[in-house]
Amino acid sequence: MRLPLGFLDELRNRTSIVQVVGRKVSWDHKRSNQGRGDMWAPCPFHQEKTASFHVDDRKGFYYCFGCHAKGDALKFVRETENVGFMEAVEILAAEAGMKVPEPDPQERERADRRVELAEVMEQAVAHYRLLLLTGAGGDAREYLRGRGLSDEALERWEIGFAPNGRGELFRELTGRGIPVDLLIEAGLCAKPEEGGDPYDRFRGRIIFPIRDTRGRAIALGGRAMDPNARAKYLNSPETPLFDKGRSLYNLKRAREAMGEDSTLIVAEGYMDVIALGEAGFGTAVAPLGTAVTADQLRLLWRHADEPVVALDGDAAGLNAAMRMIDLALPIQQGGKSLRFALMPEGQDPDDLLKARGPAGMRAALDGAVSMVELLWRRETEGGTYDTPERRAALDSKLREVVERIPDPSLKWHYSQALRERVRALFAPIRREWRDWRGGKGRARGGFRASESPLSATRASLLAGATEEVEDQVREAVILATLAMHPQLIERFEDEIERLETTGEREIVRGALLRHGFADDP
């Protein structure tokens, strides 16, 4: 069976060879660098004790320096599971959540069509780059110089210019013999509804080529020169080559640069990525005109365990960070997360680089906060928790957040991290309670104690016991009851968390809380 070329590319993009191989080997963690996807282990294909088997997650290949076995994830599954090519494809596709296409005799024709479209895109990129150097591109060059880009940088990033003419590209490429339907299918031109010749989709814009991980030009991004343009940025439409929800600007270069720096940076747009790259931060990528999608998050995690999101230091940037957290929680797994480097108020990464240089940007990246910390800030900033009802409402909100995490282990650790913050937030309240409870001459309920005990009290086993002993007995009874009836733990989870215990009772309390999460879905 012939599979679509795009299907195998997508399968390889969604598959981590480190995860596939990791089921069969024990990694040498001293020699491996997980952040860079550079892993070593004893070879599964021949008997050895040293770690000569190398897996490069970014390139998607393995190689043994002992027996010289080599290949990709598909070959590894074939060799270790003793299955054929299609069976290996089906195994990996099932893990990646992809459906193997039915046999399609027309797929070869579609594949050839994609090759043609990619060739047309390359001609458009070359033409726009040439136009930037002409008189028509003078204002665009001046603008780019004002943004700090040298002629060498323009060449490096393949930046071009589309003049205002309605059919400039259309006439140029059709004059070279390129069929009109290819220009329209590639997203370079559009056909007017009222009829007539197709018109150029990009006009009066600085052009940024968008390439896939194989280096093919698959789309264009354009920044308007006119400040009054209806859309500041315009991207190619969806085409057989381009799915903007599954693509990232500069991913190919960033992936190559990660051999030197394992920090994958997620910026907001083209100019931020270019500014970062020119300042020495070559591992920056950006989504393409929309908020980050779940597929783009998975793609980021395919190349880095903790990408750092560098967002503008304003309300919009913070809101974008919160949307990413909400998107990430239901799909993340242990070891995969995000960190957030929020720029100073009113600045984007390009502004910060101009104001403070690479050292300032490095400091911002190094100071990036975790998902759980930013999540905590969102749920608590500006809140007042001076009543039981308000504190209970916060507990409820935090539980709702944690419940969105499907991974049981990750859910438990998020719950613990949030509890620690709740404990710190409510620490002054607990101290006030302890001070009030320890007031002289008053029992726990606030009523004045009797001057002399009743005869029945004198006969009690607790006669003469101090308040400390009473606390210990009360705590022991509560913990024993919960141990006998564990179904109560979830119901009284917050009360158990706030129960103050010491010594062996603290150990029991911790065990009960852990038990409360043991059966979570």
Side-chain angles (χ1 to χ4, degrees), residues 453-493:
L454 301 174
S455 57
T457 306
R458 292 193 186 97
S460 168
L461 293 175
L462 292 175
T466 64
E467 184 175 345
E468 182 180 357
V469 172
E470 291 179 17
D471 284 345
Q472 293 174 2
V473 172
R474 178 178 59 87
E475 292 162 6
V477 170
I478 291 172
L479 296 174
T481 302
L482 292 168
M484 293 295 292
H485 303 281
Q487 69 273 18
L488 297 174
I489 295 173
E490 183 174 0
R491 179 179 173 187
F492 296 100
E493 178 187 317

Side-chain angles (χ1 to χ4, degrees), residues 337-350:
S337 188
L338 298 169
R339 298 185 72 80
F340 295 88
L342 297 174
M343 303 297 103
E345 181 69 30
Q347 291 188 341
D348 59 22
D350 191 15

Side-chain angles (χ1 to χ4, degrees), residues 124-247:
V125 169
H127 180 64
Y128 284 139
R129 290 178 65 188
L130 181 63
L131 285 176
L132 180 65
L133 304 178
T134 67
D139 289 343
R141 291 197 305 275
E142 193 67 26
Y143 168 81
L144 292 166
R145 288 195 187 101
R147 296 293 299 263
L149 296 182
S150 64
D151 291 343
E152 293 76 16
L154 300 182
E155 183 74 17
R156 250 190 311 275
W157 295 94
E158 304 178 285
I159 297 175
F161 175 69
N164 263 321
R166 183 177 173 87
E168 200 280 336
L169 180 72
F170 176 78
R171 289 189 296 271
E172 173 66 27
L173 294 190
T174 53
R176 299 180 190 178
I178 295 175
V180 173
D181 60 333
L182 273 178
L183 294 176
I184 294 173
E185 193 173 358
L188 294 170
C189 297
K191 196 169 185 178
E193 295 181 2
E194 64 275 11
D197 288 340
Y199 59 89
D200 295 353
R201 189 175 294 274
F202 296 92
R203 303 187 302 277
R205 293 178 181 271
I206 295 170
I207 299 298
F208 304 91
I210 300 167
R211 296 187 177 275
D212 64 10
T213 54
R214 294 163 59 185
R216 299 179 305 173
I218 58 174
L220 301 176
R223 187 198 188 282
M225 288 295 297
D226 182 357
N228 299 316
R230 198 164 49 174
K232 182 177 178 180
Y233 282 95
L234 177 69
N235 291 320
S236 292
E238 302 276 320
T239 72
L241 288 176
F242 179 52
D243 181 343
K244 66 181 176 182
R246 295 176 181 270
S247 305

Side-chain angles (χ1 to χ4, degrees), residues 46-335:
H46 75 284
Q47 299 297 321
E48 66 166 359
K49 295 182 179 179
T50 58
S52 63
F53 186 77
H54 180 230
V55 177
D56 189 325
D57 202 38
R58 296 184 304 278
K59 296 180 179 178
F61 285 95
Y62 65 84
Y63 179 75
C64 177
F65 289 85
C67 69
H68 306 295
K70 61 182 179 180
D72 61 5
L74 282 169
K75 186 173 181 181
F76 187 85
V77 171
R78 292 178 64 186
E79 296 289 337
T80 57
E81 303 289 345
N82 194 27
V83 296
F85 175 77
M86 280 310 303
E87 289 177 282
V89 168
E90 290 168 358
I91 289 171
L92 293 181
E95 293 177 359
M98 298 175 63
K99 183 179 179 181
V100 179
E102 297 295 328
D104 185 357
Q106 296 179 332
E107 176 54 35
R108 181 73 261 166
E109 182 181 340
R110 288 195 291 268
D112 291 342
R113 185 70 167 182
R114 286 194 292 271
V115 171
E116 289 183 288
L117 291 171
E119 291 173 351
V120 171
M121 291 300 303
E122 290 293 351
Q123 292 199 47
V125 169
H127 180 64
Y128 284 139
R129 290 178 65 188
L130 181 63
L131 285 176
L132 180 65
L133 304 178
T134 67
D139 289 343
R141 291 197 305 275
E142 193 67 26
Y143 168 81
L144 292 166
R145 288 195 187 101
R147 296 293 299 263
L149 296 182
S150 64
D151 291 343
E152 293 76 16
L154 300 182
E155 183 74 17
R156 250 190 311 275
W157 295 94
E158 304 178 285
I159 297 175
F161 175 69
N164 263 321
R166 183 177 173 87
E168 200 280 336
L169 180 72
F170 176 78
R171 289 189 296 271
E172 173 66 27
L173 294 190
T174 53
R176 299 180 190 178
I178 295 175
V180 173
D181 60 333
L182 273 178
L183 294 176
I184 294 173
E185 193 173 358
L188 294 170
C189 297
K191 196 169 185 178
E193 295 181 2
E194 64 275 11
D197 288 340
Y199 59 89
D200 295 353
R201 189 175 294 274
F202 296 92
R203 303 187 302 277
R205 293 178 181 271
I206 295 170
I207 299 298
F208 304 91
I210 300 167
R211 296 187 177 275
D212 64 10
T213 54
R214 294 163 59 185
R216 299 179 305 173
I218 58 174
L220 301 176
R223 187 198 188 282
M225 288 295 297
D226 182 357
N228 299 316
R230 198 164 49 174
K232 182 177 178 180
Y233 282 95
L234 177 69
N235 291 320
S236 292
E238 302 276 320
T239 72
L241 288 176
F242 179 52
D243 181 343
K244 66 181 176 182
R246 295 176 181 270
S247 305
L248 291 166
Y249 179 63
N250 198 48
L251 181 58
K252 182 177 185 294
R253 290 186 181 192
R255 191 169 66 171
E256 293 168 351
M258 285 186 70
E260 301 173 5
D261 184 351
S262 61
T263 304
L264 182 60
I265 305 168
V266 185
E268 191 169 355
Y270 308 111
M271 290 304 299
D272 286 333
V273 168
I274 292 170
L276 285 163
E278 290 300 299
F281 301 91
T283 60
V285 299
L288 299 162
T290 61
V292 172
T293 67
D295 286 321
Q296 287 171 331
L297 265 183
R298 294 186 183 98
L299 187 57
L300 290 168
W301 283 330
R302 167 74 173 79
H303 299 287
D305 289 336
E306 286 193 349
V308 176
V309 184
L311 292 172
D312 296 359
D314 54 18
L318 191 59
N319 289 337
M322 297 310 176
R323 286 195 298 270
M324 287 186 70
I325 290 175
D326 290 334
L327 183 67
L329 286 176
I331 64 174
Q332 72 177 134
Q333 299 175 338

